[in-house]
Each structure stands twice: as structure tokens, then as C-alpha cells.
Amino acid sequence: MPDDGNDANGGTDPLFRVDSPIFTRKELLEIEHIPNEERIVGRDEQIKKVANALNPAIAGGSPRNMIVYGKTGTGKSLVAKHVTQRAKRAAENHGTTVGTAYIDCAQSNTETRAISTLATQLNDVGETEVKIPPTGIATDDYYARFWRILDARFDVAIIILDEIDKLGNDEILMQLSRAGEAGKLGSCKIGIIAISNKISYQDKLEQRVKSSLQEREFIFPPYDAEQLRLIMENREDAFKPDVLTSDVIPLSAAFAASEHGDARKALDILRHAGEIAEERDDERVREEHVRDARSLADVNRFRDLLQGQPTQAKLTVLAVAELTAARRESKIESNDIYDKYCELTTALDVNQLSQRRVYDLLREQAFLDILGQEFEGRGRARGSVMKFYLLEEPETVRQAIQRDAVFDQMNGE
Ligand SMILES: Nc1ncnc2c1ncn2[C@@H]1O[C@H](COP(=O)(O)OP(=O)(O)OP(=O)(O)O)[C@@H](O)[C@H]1O
Ligand SMILES: [Mg+2]
């Protein structure tokens, strides 16, 4: 074969690049990244409260249980993980062995999945000789093995149950909080940090669970634009020096503060802005990149919210978006939504549900904060109607929904 010289150049083919012209440590902007203490802004008080609740664990006592509430991007997961790590280290210095586990209940969304994930995280087969098969044993059996693991390995276990409202029932809270008193555990103590971005979760907790949890409740407030600016500035070293123009961080902060001060959104916008600049071969990140990044962040956030929703539910939301765009009117009667929904199902050749079912789906979307809902009286004689409205721009909703495979046929139109 003729040698065209490409082999020797394999590593330097200009089509590909190893070094980013924009980022040096992009991982600092990833949502999973847990920043160190110096990079955490405006959460001293919350960190202190969580630490106080965990404090008895340092000397091997029972930590207080807690539920942390707050809107999305207010640092709940971050603070819970950060303080737990520090408690573990402080305890070790006192000769106390603390085990820590974290589960996202949106993923481990059944009691069995949750307990088996916890058991797997805290186990060390070499030490306990307890096996945790991924499936095939009963929930009670997972619990039994879990208690054995805890007693064999730890003085105290601190368990973070994130997105607790996504769990089907409260049974796991009940079991974990009563384990000592019910004689399931010998010497190991358990502390629970449950996290929810729905303050209404309080009302859904059964009284028997509440009385057994005896939890403290903390509410994390949103950040202001100044705090968001600091959070981003503390991670500026994710970028190469002088790559960010001076208005990038303030503008990202202003966008992220416009609904409620959401650090997740701020960091998403900043990261996307860098990626967009990189894609366009621009040398610096500028205002226009931030504006485009904002739309992308909105679409992504909405798509995450919709993830796991059945196609039929997405169709009802799309019907609301189409009507909102066409009418320049935001609150739409459920009858009109149903007509539009039927048009869409016909156009897409998918199964059509009854009006009753569609109404239920709409209410479910409102419960999940995907849509807004309002009961509107029309005067005594005419009763009242339920109206639904979008919480995002119609275009954001359309783009997020149209990434679903079922909608591909529409994109061609
Ligand atoms: N006070 C802060 N200082 C620095 N970074 C922060 C702060 N608060 C949040 N962040 C960062 O913002 C992102 C979102 O924070 P986090 O995941 O803790 O939010 P959350 O309240 O758990 O939101 P959600 O309810 O959506 O899960 C993370 O990348 C986190 O590192
Ligand atoms: Mg979180």
C-alpha cells in the first residue's frame, strides 16, 4: 500500500484534537463533581446545621435523621455529600468507623432496588462473607443481609437518600429508622439524610414514618446572582487563562438567577457556552455563546424532566405547546388540548387515548411540574374548567420533546 504519510501523523491529524483550546479542567464544571471546601459558596450555615445533626456519630453515637428541602440547584446533594465525607474523616480520627452510602431514588426507585443498592455499596464480601445478588432474593432477605453487613463493618452508617420523593413508598425510611429499636441491628447506629426538591413531600409522609424518623428539617434557599457569580468564578480554572470574556460569568449568573437562583443551571450554561465556542472554533467564550447555551440548558433541563414519561404523556404536553405557540395565549382548556392531541396522534399514527385518560395524564404532568394547572370559574351557570399552561417557552418544549424517537417522523416535515 502506498504510504501517504498519515500513519506517522496519526497522533497529529488536524481532524482530531487532544487538547481543548478552551478548557483545561472541564471536569470542574460537571454536575457530579464535588468541589472542595474553598469552592463552596454561601452554604456555611447549612453545612453547620447538617454537621450538628451528624455530630453524635463522631463518638459512635446515633446521628439525628434529617430531611433537606430546596429547589433544584440549591446545593442539597453537594452539602449532604460534603458534610458526610468530612464526618467520616473526623470520626476516623476518633477511632470510630463510619460507613457512608448515597443513592439516587430516581434511579433506585423501588424499595428492593434501594436496599440492594445500599447493601452493595456498604459491603465488602472479603470481610463479611455476605453476598448481595443483584436479583433473585426477597426484599426482606436484602434487609437481613444489610443489617449483618452494618453490624460487621461499622459503628455508624450515614445514608443519603437523594430525591426521596421519587421512591414509591416510605417503607425504607420506616425500616432504616426503626432498625435499632426493632432489634434488627446490634451495635451499629444509622443516620438518614433524605433530600427532596418538593416541599410538599412533608405532607405526604405518613404519621407513623414521621414519628419514627423524628427528623430535623432544613430548607435550602436559592442563590442570588452574586453567589452564582462566585460559584462560577471559583471554577474559572476549568478554562484556559483569558479565554472567558468579562461578561460571560455575570450574564450566566443573571440567566440562572432569573427563575430561582439555580447553581446547576449556572454551571450548565457556563459549560455549554465553552463547548459552543469550541465547536465554532472560536478562541474566546463570548456573550453570544452564553445566550445560545442558555437555550440549550433549558431544553436539556426540560428533557430530563420528561425523561421516563410515556410517549402519550409527551404528546399531551406537545399539544399544549402547539396551542400556546399558535394562539399567543397561555392558559388552555383541557377540551381544546384533547382536540389538538387527537390531531397529533392521527398525524403520527399512534394509538389515541380517551379524553378521560388524557385528562389524567395532563394532571399527572402538572403534579410533576412539567405543566402548570389552574382551575378557572366561568360564572355560576357555566361551572368551571381546568386549564393547563406551559412553564417553559413553547420552542424549548418542542425541541425537548422532538428528541424522542417517536417524533422523528415529524422532524422531516
Ligand atoms: N454553594 C455552592 N458552591 C459551589 N457549587 C455549588 C453550590 N451549590 C451547588 N453547587 C454546584 O451546583 C450543582 C448543583 O448542585 P446540587 O446538585 O447540590 O443541587 P441540588 O440542590 O441537589 O439540586 P437537585 O434538586 O436538582 O438535585 C453541582 O454541580 C454543585 O457542585
Ligand atoms: Mg440533588
Side-chain angles (χ1 to χ4, degrees):
M1 250 169 59
D3 179 6
D4 55 14
N6 275 350
D7 278 355
N9 273 339
T12 55
D13 183 338
L15 190 57
F16 303 100
R17 58 184 171 214
V18 183
D19 283 336
S20 157
I22 300 284
F23 296 106
T24 39
R25 292 186 60 198
K26 192 173 165 189
E27 67 278 7
L28 292 177
L29 302 174
E30 305 288 347
I31 292 301
E32 298 72 32
H33 173 79
I34 305 181
N36 57 22
E37 204 183 335
E38 304 85 70
R39 293 184 198 261
I40 301 180
V41 175
R43 283 294 174 253
D44 293 351
E45 191 188 319
Q46 289 74 14
I47 289 176
K48 189 116 203 71
K49 283 181 177 163
V50 173
N52 280 343
L54 295 182
N55 206 63
I58 311 302
S62 290
R64 300 285 306 258
N65 296 326
M66 62 196 117
I67 304 189
V68 175
Y69 295 103
K71 292 193 171 159
T72 183
T74 51
K76 302 180 297 296
S77 304
L78 167 63
V79 167
K81 288 178 185 167
H82 170 78
V83 180
T84 310
Q85 277 179 2
R86 285 173 70 177
K88 184 178 171 140
R89 257 181 274 133
E92 266 160 21
N93 293 338
H94 273 264
T96 306
T97 335
V98 170
T100 59
Y102 171 92
I103 54 171
D104 178 356
C105 302
Q107 275 166 25
S108 305
N109 60 356
T110 65
E111 186 189 2
T112 313
R113 257 179 238 153
I115 190 66
S116 93
T117 310
L118 286 177
T120 308
Q121 278 188 26
L122 289 170
N123 196 18
D124 176 344
V125 190
E127 201 180 318
T128 61
E129 293 180 13
V130 177
K131 290 212 176 74
I132 306 294
T135 53
I137 66 172
T139 309
D140 282 350
D141 210 355
Y142 279 118
Y143 277 114
R145 293 180 197 205
F146 183 56
W147 310 135
R148 269 165 61 202
I149 292 167
L150 292 190
D151 273 331
R153 301 197 65 205
F154 307 109
D155 300 315
V156 184
I158 302 174
I159 294 168
I160 304 176
L161 301 172
D162 208 345
E163 315 257 348
I164 184 85
D165 47 286
K166 303 278 161 51
L167 210 55
N169 62 48
D170 304 334
E171 202 49 38
I172 194 162
L173 280 178
M174 192 67 197
Q175 293 284 344
L176 293 176
S177 56
R178 296 206 52 216
E181 152 194 352
K184 305 260 169 68
L185 273 177
S187 57
C188 185
K189 311 281 194 299
I190 292 187
I192 303 166
I193 307 181
I195 302 177
S196 169
N197 51 26
K198 286 208 160 64
I199 189 88
S200 58
Y201 181 71
Q202 280 172 321
D203 312 329
K204 279 194 275 164
L205 266 182
E206 280 179 51
Q207 197 47 49
R208 63 174 190 124
V209 181
K210 276 189 97 60
S211 58
S212 125
L213 256 186
Q214 303 232 334
E215 82 286 0
R216 293 183 179 187
E217 291 171 351
F218 303 131
I219 298 177
F220 283 27
Y223 298 109
D224 59 31
E226 179 66 13
Q227 289 171 319
L228 294 173
R229 193 176 60 73
L230 280 172
I231 289 173
M232 287 184 277
E233 277 177 8
N234 283 349
R235 305 200 197 186
E236 230 174 328
D237 50 334
F239 293 90
K240 293 213 157 142
D242 296 330
V243 154
L244 293 183
T245 55
S246 61
D247 37 10
V248 166
I249 287 182
L251 188 61
S252 306
F255 283 154
S258 64
E259 269 171 57
H260 71 266
D262 176 345
R264 174 191 300 275
K265 192 159 179 183
L267 292 168
D268 274 348
I269 293 177
L270 190 61
R271 191 181 68 249
H272 288 322
E275 286 166 351
I276 292 171
E278 196 171 58
E279 269 163 34
R280 295 184 189 160
D281 285 328
D282 289 334
E283 282 164 11
R284 303 189 74 196
V285 187
R286 293 188 310 269
E287 182 180 327
E288 65 191 78
H289 303 131
V290 177
R291 294 192 183 277
D292 293 345
R294 180 203 198 179
S295 324
L296 191 64
D298 283 346
V299 171
N300 285 347
R301 194 195 77 89
F302 196 71
R303 198 193 45 191
D304 288 348
L305 208 59
L306 278 175
Q307 210 181 29
Q309 288 299 307
T311 303
Q312 289 288 353
K314 290 177 183 164
L315 275 173
T316 65
V317 178
L318 184 60
V320 181
E322 297 291 328
L323 289 169
T324 312
R327 290 181 177 181
R328 301 180 168 277
E329 164 190 19
S330 59
K331 298 189 175 146
I332 318 239
E333 280 188 33
S334 54
N335 286 344
D336 294 350
I337 302 174
Y338 187 67
D339 292 343
K340 190 72 188 177
Y341 159 86
C342 292
E343 259 177 50
L344 291 171
T345 53
T346 312
L348 290 167
D349 198 20
V350 296
N351 177 23
Q352 200 167 93
L353 301 177
S354 70
Q355 186 151 5
R356 175 86 229 156
R357 268 300 286 144
V358 167
Y359 185 63
D360 288 345
L361 282 174
L362 286 167
R363 290 188 23 164
E364 206 172 296
Q365 305 310 298
F367 174 77
L368 295 169
D369 291 330
I370 293 172
L371 289 175
Q373 174 182 5
E374 195 179 273
F375 213 45
E376 198 176 277
R378 294 191 298 187
R380 193 172 282 190
R382 301 179 57 214
S384 53
V385 287
M386 184 65 85
K387 292 190 167 184
F388 294 90
Y389 54 92
L390 296 183
L391 300 166
E392 302 283 340
E393 291 299 312
E395 200 39 46
T396 305
V397 175
R398 274 190 191 143
Q399 284 187 27
I401 291 183
Q402 288 176 3
R403 292 196 194 166
D404 188 319
V406 183
F407 299 95
D408 276 355
Q409 24 182 337
M410 272 177 47
N411 297 339
E413 282 174 12

